Amino acid sequence: EIADLIRKNLPKTAGRHLVGIHPGGYYSSQRWETGKFAELAKKIYAEAGIDLVIIGSDAEKDAVDKMASLSGVPNKKYICKSIPELAAVLQNMDILVCNNSGPMHLASAVGCPTVSTLGPTDERLWAPRGKYSVAVKSAAGSVNDIQVEEMFLAVKRLLERKHEKTS
């Protein structure tokens, strides 16, 4: 049932990567600004030719809608109703770009590569795990000091590493 729902709502374009963006997060100190996620989406779409899906829960629907609107690029929105559904969605992503959040840890657990922001927290405890997981942290420690270009380069490098693995 979940797999059918995902196939219907997240069709993959042959030859293109599918990158999920989750702009939500529980702690405000761990949430990168929605506008920065939108800028990153524009850059990913324009420079890397990647399909985008913005994901969140019912509680994050406003942030998902705002980010989709601000980005101004073609994207899909996917509101997950359960953790098993979110896990299945993440398994269909080539990369998840997100904040330090539950979906970041779930993505790592199901083998979805991640590029995440990391705010004022101990990265030894809270950074995503896995060979294909990258956390971007500012020297100052504030999540909003992280620049869009830093996140974009992390996404680009991770896609290149994944491509080398499959070539």
Side-chain angles (χ1 to χ4, degrees), residues 83-109:
I83 291 173
E85 182 180 5
L86 175 58
V89 167
L90 293 171
Q91 288 174 319
N92 283 275
M93 300 289 145
D94 291 301
I95 292 179
L96 174 68
V97 179
C98 58
N99 291 305
N100 179 9
S101 61
M104 174 196 74
H105 295 291
L106 184 59
S108 291

Side-chain angles (χ1 to χ4, degrees), residues 21 32-42 67 70 142-151:
I21 298 179
W32 205 36
E33 296 168 10
T34 304
K36 287 187 176 184
F37 272 114
E39 285 180 53
L40 178 61
K42 285 180 196 175
M67 202 218 113
L70 287 173
S142 171
V143 72
N144 285 309
D145 287 336
I146 297 169
Q147 300 301 305
V148 170
E149 187 65 21
E150 292 175 89
M151 291 292 285

Side-chain angles (χ1 to χ4, degrees), residues 104-123:
M104 174 196 74
H105 295 291
L106 184 59
S108 291
V110 300
C112 175
T114 62
V115 172
S116 63
T117 62
L118 200 59
T121 190
D122 187 342
E123 57 201 279

Side-chain angles (χ1 to χ4, degrees), residues 1-8 78 82-89:
E1 177 180 309
I2 289 175
D4 291 337
L5 186 66
I6 291 167
R7 274 192 294 279
K8 178 182 170 198
Y78 197 106
S82 68
I83 291 173
E85 182 180 5
L86 175 58
V89 167

